[in-house]
């Protein structure tokens, strides 16, 4: 709900030519709205600090068991959005039903 509300809030700002501030917001459940927590003065507020207890992640064929990242990506299952579109276009399933099926991998397998 928070993401959906915030996306709509930002679209509204865009259509009303109002700038969106760089700020941290939280979701207020009772009202179903987001609320400003703090302003961010500049890009420095968006930096990420490395975790000192974690070594850097290195992705190369050796660390990936002899495979390239592209080879691994090809073995991943379809994303739910892709499944939804395929069910609608290939099988003529209504989008609402396709969304429901796509959210459940066993249902995808059973449907096909």
């Amino acid at each position: 709900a928070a993401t959906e509300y915030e996306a709509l809030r930002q679209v509204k700002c865009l259509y009303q030519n109002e700038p969106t501030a760089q700020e941290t917001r939280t979701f207020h459940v009772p009202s179903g709205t987001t609320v400003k927590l703090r302003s961010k003065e500049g890009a420095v507020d968006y930096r990420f600090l490395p975790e000192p207890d974690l070594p850097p992640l290195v992705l190369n064929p050796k660390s990936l068991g002899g495979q390239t990242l592209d080879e691994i990506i090809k073995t991943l299952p379809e994303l739910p959005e892709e499944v939804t579109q395929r069910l609608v276009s290939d099988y003529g399933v209504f989008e609402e039903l396709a969304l429901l099926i796509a959210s459940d991998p066993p249902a995808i397998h059973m449907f096909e």
Side-chain angles (χ1 to χ4, degrees):
T3 305
E4 289 135 0
Y5 173 82
E6 188 59 20
L8 292 172
R9 185 188 73 80
Q10 290 187 23
V11 167
K12 181 180 174 185
C13 288
L14 177 69
Y15 281 115
Q16 294 177 349
N17 291 322
E18 296 174 3
T20 54
Q22 292 183 342
E23 59 193 11
T24 301
R25 299 181 71 87
T26 187
F27 187 64
H28 185 252
V29 175
S31 67
T33 61
T34 58
V35 180
K36 176 181 168 182
L37 287 177
R38 72 177 181 100
S39 295
K40 295 184 178 183
E41 299 299 323
V44 76
D45 289 321
Y46 289 97
R47 72 179 182 271
F48 294 95
L49 300 174
E51 171 58 50
D53 296 329
L54 296 176
L57 177 63
V58 179
L59 298 177
N60 58 40
K62 183 179 178 187
S63 67
L64 297 172
Q67 294 182 299
T68 66
L69 191 55
D70 288 334
E71 291 170 336
I72 292 173
I73 289 171
K74 288 178 185 175
T75 67
L76 296 175
E78 278 183 294
L79 295 172
E81 294 83 10
E82 295 168 340
V83 173
T84 300
Q85 290 302 319
R86 189 169 51 78
L87 292 173
V88 169
S89 64
D90 293 358
Y91 299 103
V93 174
F94 289 112
E95 187 170 358
E96 294 80 14
L97 179 58
L99 285 166
L100 183 64
I101 295 169
S103 69
D104 184 10
I108 297 168
H109 181 70
M110 192 171 76
F111 184 83
E112 296 182 314

